């Protein structure tokens, strides 16, 4: 009788690794470009911001010119935030900033920073932090930036009331930090794109498309996975 030998191999890890390599190459290329562009923009942007703020002080509130100058100031501040994100995205952390980091402390600080926004939206923010976690090696403020970005995205994904839960734990020798929300989730069609720089599903003026790509770069620098 003829016989057939079937051999199966799970290539899930290889596929995931390949995707991460492609993503890393893409981010490295964009990071180099972003750093140069950000530095070039910073000086004229600082001048726009400074002169608009000087003008606001010299013009009475209620006048049309005051309103125009205020809009210029707000636009310049938004640009400044984008430039800062680009610089963070393109710049490796300094050795002097790297030390042992308590992930629970990072979580508590990020939650405290965002709690007011959650209260305003009537969205419940809860936490479950495991005790006696080992420190991770890294930059505390950068890790907090990642978590604040996740919390902001989670809040933005919820329409009406809902919940967002922050949890820490240990899996083998890895410290795990997770954010879960009661929003609709990320559609399958765009999951592969969410870490790409400048990709956003938010309406114009509401998002830069840099938050998740910056977060991805930070976690890669910390030898972690996201």
């Amino acid at each position: 009788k003829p016989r057939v030998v079937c051999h199966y191999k799970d290539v899930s890890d290889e596929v995931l690794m390949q995707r991460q390599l492609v993503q890393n190459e893409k981010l490295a290329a964009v990071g180099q470009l972003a750093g140069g562009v950000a530095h070039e923009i910073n000086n004229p942007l600082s001048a726009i911001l400074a002169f608009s703020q000087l003008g606001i002080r010299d013009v009475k509130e209620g006048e049309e010119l005051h309103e125009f100058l205020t809009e210029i100031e707000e636009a310049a501040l938004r640009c400044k935030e984008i430039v800062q994100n680009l610089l963070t995205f393109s710049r490796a952390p300094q050795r002097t900033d790297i030390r042992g980091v308590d992930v629970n402390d990072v979580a508590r600080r990020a939650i405290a920073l965002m709690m007011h926004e959650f209260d305003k939206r009537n969205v419940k923010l809860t936490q479950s932090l495991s005790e006696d976690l080992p420190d991770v090696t890294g930059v505390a403020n950068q890790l907090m930036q990642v978590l604040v970005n996740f919390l902001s995205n989670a809040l933005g994904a919820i329409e009406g009331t809902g919940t967002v839960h922050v949890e820490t734990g240990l899996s083998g020798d890895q410290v795990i930090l997770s954010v879960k929300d009661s929003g609709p989730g990320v559609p399958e069609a765009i999951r592969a794109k969410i870490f790409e720089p400048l990709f956003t599903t938010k309406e114009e003026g509401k998002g830069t498309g840099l938050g998740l790509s910056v977060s991805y770069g930070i976690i890669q620098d910390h030898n972690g996975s996201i």
Side-chain angles (χ1 to χ4, degrees), residues 23-24 26-28 30-31 34 85-86 88-90 145-146 149-150 153 193-199 208-221 226:
Q23 184 69 23
N24 289 348
K26 196 183 298 181
L27 288 173
V30 174
N85 280 337
L86 284 169
T88 301
F89 176 58
S90 64
Q145 179 183 352
V146 172
N149 181 60
F150 273 25
N153 281 2
K193 299 179 180 180
I194 61 172
F195 292 116
E196 291 182 4
L198 307 179
F199 175 79
T208 62
L210 287 169
L212 285 178
S213 57
V214 168
S215 297
Y216 185 97
I218 288 172
I219 297 303
Q220 288 292 307
D221 286 340
I226 180 171

Side-chain angles (χ1 to χ4, degrees), residues 23-224:
Q23 184 69 23
N24 289 348
E25 289 174 4
K26 196 183 298 181
L27 288 173
V30 174
Q32 289 181 343
L33 176 64
V37 170
H39 280 295
E40 291 298 320
I41 292 173
N42 234 351
N43 287 337
L45 185 58
S46 296
I48 292 168
L49 186 58
F51 283 113
S52 64
Q53 289 172 337
L54 284 171
I56 288 170
R57 287 194 299 182
D58 293 337
V59 179
K60 290 182 181 179
E61 194 171 344
E63 292 186 14
E64 189 176 41
L65 180 57
H66 188 280
E67 183 181 337
F68 291 160
L69 289 168
T70 301
E71 288 186 14
I72 292 171
E73 181 193 30
E74 289 174 357
L77 285 170
R78 176 168 167 72
C79 289
K80 198 169 182 64
E81 183 182 350
I82 294 171
V83 167
Q84 188 55 52
N85 280 337
L86 284 169
L87 287 171
T88 301
F89 176 58
S90 64
R91 184 174 56 217
Q94 300 298 309
R95 283 194 172 275
T96 52
D97 296 332
I98 299 172
R99 61 196 63 175
V101 177
D102 180 350
V103 170
N104 283 343
D105 181 57
V106 167
R108 291 188 189 100
R109 287 168 57 200
I111 289 168
L113 191 65
M114 291 294 295
M115 188 60 79
H116 178 64
E117 294 298 319
F118 277 77
D119 288 342
K120 280 198 306 184
R121 287 275 310 278
N122 198 27
V123 174
K124 191 174 182 181
L125 178 55
T126 60
Q127 59 183 342
S128 177
L129 308 181
S130 296
E131 296 302 323
D132 302 321
L133 289 179
D135 286 356
V136 299
T137 302
V139 182
N141 284 342
Q142 286 191 336
L143 293 175
M144 191 173 85
Q145 179 183 352
V146 172
L147 184 51
V148 166
N149 181 60
F150 273 25
L151 290 173
S152 178
N153 281 2
L155 180 61
I158 295 173
E159 293 184 8
T161 59
T163 59
V164 175
H165 185 66
V166 178
E167 186 173 348
T168 62
L170 200 60
S171 176
D173 61 352
Q174 288 188 317
V175 174
I176 307 296
L177 173 60
S178 71
V179 178
K180 300 176 183 179
D181 65 68
S182 60
V186 181
E188 182 74 34
I190 65 168
R191 283 181 195 171
K193 299 179 180 180
I194 61 172
F195 292 116
E196 291 182 4
L198 307 179
F199 175 79
T200 181
T201 58
K202 295 177 181 176
E203 60 188 80
E204 190 173 348
K206 292 292 180 70
T208 62
L210 287 169
L212 285 178
S213 57
V214 168
S215 297
Y216 185 97
I218 288 172
I219 297 303
Q220 288 292 307
D221 286 340
H222 282 73
N223 296 317

